[in-house]
Amino acid sequence: MATIEECRAALEKLSDSMQSAQGDVRTATALDRSVSCRITDLDVTFVGRMTGGRIVVQDTLQGPPVEKAQIRLTMTGDDLVAMVDGELNFAKAWGSGRVKLEAGLKDLFQLRKLL
């Protein structure tokens, strides 16, 4: 089972990848939205903001988030690490229910460029 530190490192790696993106992917990363990433097996939620082409983690909360972020991810720590490392395909994980992504319709259309 991935640790909180490994999950935070995976989010930082994802943020670094977003920062160096080009083309349509770069456009999708330009969103300015609140973000939460709930790690179910650790019962923690990373909360922050997608801004300037990066994900900035502002806090780590025990349990589910108090406020509903504009973009919400839910998964296990192992799935987060595997996805960021390229070992788990997001579309397949999302389609099978292993990963949940919730956002407004407009944001989902933008985010699909990332995925």
Side-chain angles (χ1 to χ4, degrees), residues 29-103:
T29 65
L31 293 172
D32 185 7
R33 301 286 188 271
S34 60
V35 177
S36 67
C37 182
R38 175 121 171 84
I39 306 299
T40 55
D41 55 334
L42 297 175
D43 194 28
V44 297
T45 304
F46 295 95
V47 293
R49 190 138 200 102
M50 180 186 288
T51 184
R54 296 190 62 81
I55 296 172
V56 178
V57 175
Q58 298 165 330
D59 204 359
T60 305
L61 308 173
Q62 203 56 39
V66 177
E67 296 182 23
K68 186 175 163 180
Q70 292 166 303
I71 298 171
R72 299 168 304 282
L73 288 163
T74 304
M75 67 194 79
T76 66
D78 288 342
D79 285 346
L80 173 62
V81 171
M83 226 174 20
V84 171
D85 287 344
E87 299 168 5
L88 177 64
N89 178 280
F90 176 84
K92 288 181 182 179
W94 185 39
S96 70
R98 284 176 66 177
V99 173
K100 293 180 185 169
L101 171 64
E102 299 172 90

